[in-house]
Amino acid sequence: MGQATPDPTRRRRRRIVGWTLAGLLVVLVGAGVWVATRALVVSDELSAVAELPRNAEAALADGDVDALGDVAVRFDEHVSSAAAAAADPLWRAAEIVPGLGQNLRATRLITEQLDRVSSEVATPVAALTSRLTGGELLVDGSLNVALLSEAAEPLAEARDVLDQTRAAVAAVSRDGLVDQVSRGVDQVGTMLDQLGSAVGGMADLSAVLPGMLGSDGPRTILVMLQNNAELRSGGGITGSFAEIVADGGAITMTRQADSSEFRRTVAEILPVPESTTALYGDIVGRYVQNTTTTPDFDLSARLASTWWEGLTGHRPDIVLAIDPLVLRALLPVTGPVTLAGGKELVRDGFISSVLVAPYLHREPKEQTVFFQDLTERFFEAVMTSSAAPSAWISALRTPIEQGRVSVWSADSAEAEVLAHSPFAGALARHRDAGENAFAVYFNDGTGSKMDSSLAVELGSVTGSCRADGRPEVSVQVRLTNEAPADAGEKWPFSMTGSGRWGVTAGNIATAVAVAAPQGWFFGGTTVDGERRASVDVEDGGFPTSATEVELAPGESALIDVRFVSPDTVEREPALLHTPLLYPAEEIRLSSLSCD
């Protein structure tokens, strides 16, 4: 048979199909490369975004509003670039590709939500912050309550946007996602949760703060000045009080009072929970100095309000508790405060000048004069300061984080907002700190100001010494009396108590209460390795163990309080504690002792 002659038409068709397939392959490869380049752009931009929260925290810590604004601008630039890359039509088309598509879709959804956060939250909130801290907040020595009122609506809108974006990110399916994309979704969710918490708190406070500052009429504010030289759970003895009136943002001090002015009582002025009395004694509701013996600031504020009514005939609208270290933190923005007699208070040596020397060298009546003069002059320095509001933010950030500023309102709506804020007091701080948080509360039993010589070390460790393998947490507290050996002989009654309350002069008696997370079980208490009886009750919803030690000058004691987990999950404990005069040192523990 002869060879068939090729059909030119068929060859032409084959050539066209070949060219078409080659063209399609080139297009697909090109599209894939293009999508890959877009993905790299998104990855780089989102990596840059991930670094910005740390920059924002640093700016807030420094009170640097310009730096905070710069963070918002960079956030917008990076997120906008990422969102534009992910919005490419070829990116959308590639989302139908099995395996690859789920990851592209998740990434696009994340960038879209971040882009919304940038335009509807970060940029307007940064602009608002700049305005609030740019000099407009203080006008002729009064707070601009109108400006604070204007902040409420944009902050509420920002909170709503964050709620929506958080829900959208939470709804992103993790099915089929590679680890890098899945981790990215989780990281964005965490960042939005943190931002939502911060903005939500600002929105809530902005809604009630103008009224608390007298935008709707005069409000009375009772300021309790706690003294950490004689410790109480919430900070220190409440021996000094000042009443101020806020009216349309103008703030005036109207009265001061010393604890000696309040009537004595043999009965509690308000009902105190039996668990609180079991832990701290029947002194909580009977002596004005013990108002913050309980970590429950709601109870402390109601007690203070009742005490004040007994003294003045009227109850305050708001109760504010601070300690002297808040005043020390404010010195960089108020400048040195000059007291009667010409002495200047500066940051260095503040504790010695305010919380040691008056008790060593002044009689009780002279101490009262000294502290009331200090309060009055500090108040004047605060109200006449020309420092930028950002400087105040920087100065107060650490004291607020340490729980040195607590606020309560008699108005139920305001009280509800404050109860979920950083100003709600020790018990609320413990509740908000999460399921791994333990709290250590200190109460002086000496009846004097010896806690200016008390050194505190804290540590915690998780392990198990139990047959059932349940995890245990050991919270360890080492206390040291650093007073000189002859303190009991040379120091006056104001410092040592002179044994009047059953504690040898020069010694320091301290009640230590440790509160575990809700649902945990008591595991026992030891002091220097010896089993010690403790009061074990649930107080404010938290299992709490309390014991007391007395230390002579130079002596130390190691208190070990243990709790047993309600489940088999081993957790890393976090420790909160009473605000102290000096920072608590860390006890480093490598493992749980089963001896």
Side-chain angles (χ1 to χ4, degrees), residues 509-527:
T510 309
V512 179
V514 181
Q518 295 180 357
W520 283 59
F521 303 100
F522 299 106
T525 298
T526 62
V527 177

Side-chain angles (χ1 to χ4, degrees), residues 469-491:
R470 282 203 177 197
E472 299 173 79
V473 164
S474 164
V475 176
Q476 298 196 6
V477 182
R478 181 179 287 114
L479 303 179
T480 303
N481 182 347
E482 296 186 338
D486 59 357
E489 301 170 6
K490 292 189 174 181
W491 284 2

Side-chain angles (χ1 to χ4, degrees), residues 403-489:
R404 299 184 185 277
V405 182
S406 300
V407 187
W408 172 91
S409 174
D411 180 275
S412 59
E414 294 172 355
E416 178 65 22
V417 169
L418 292 169
H420 297 90
S421 76
F423 308 105
L427 188 69
R429 289 179 68 227
H430 188 187
R431 189 177 296 118
D432 291 342
E435 60 182 11
N436 300 340
F438 293 74
V440 184
Y441 302 122
F442 300 97
N443 280 278
D444 173 73
T446 316
S448 63
K449 304 302 182 288
M450 288 295 292
D451 285 334
S452 58
S453 296
L454 183 69
V456 178
E457 298 170 76
L458 297 171
S460 63
V461 66
T462 301
S464 183
C465 300
R466 297 169 55 87
D468 62 8
R470 282 203 177 197
E472 299 173 79
V473 164
S474 164
V475 176
Q476 298 196 6
V477 182
R478 181 179 287 114
L479 303 179
T480 303
N481 182 347
E482 296 186 338
D486 59 357
E489 301 170 6

Side-chain angles (χ1 to χ4, degrees), residues 45-108:
E45 297 296 351
L46 293 186
S47 295
V49 168
E51 298 297 319
L52 294 179
R54 284 192 287 271
N55 297 336
E57 287 183 10
L60 285 172
D62 296 336
D64 190 339
V65 179
D66 291 337
L68 190 62
D70 181 58
V71 169
V73 170
R74 288 156 57 200
F75 182 86
D76 182 64
E77 291 173 347
H78 291 305
V79 168
S80 295
S81 179
D88 189 282
L90 289 178
W91 182 297
R92 290 267 190 162
E95 289 182 8
I96 65 172
V97 178
L100 176 64
Q102 298 98 308
N103 291 278
L104 292 176
R105 188 179 306 111
T107 302
R108 174 177 57 79

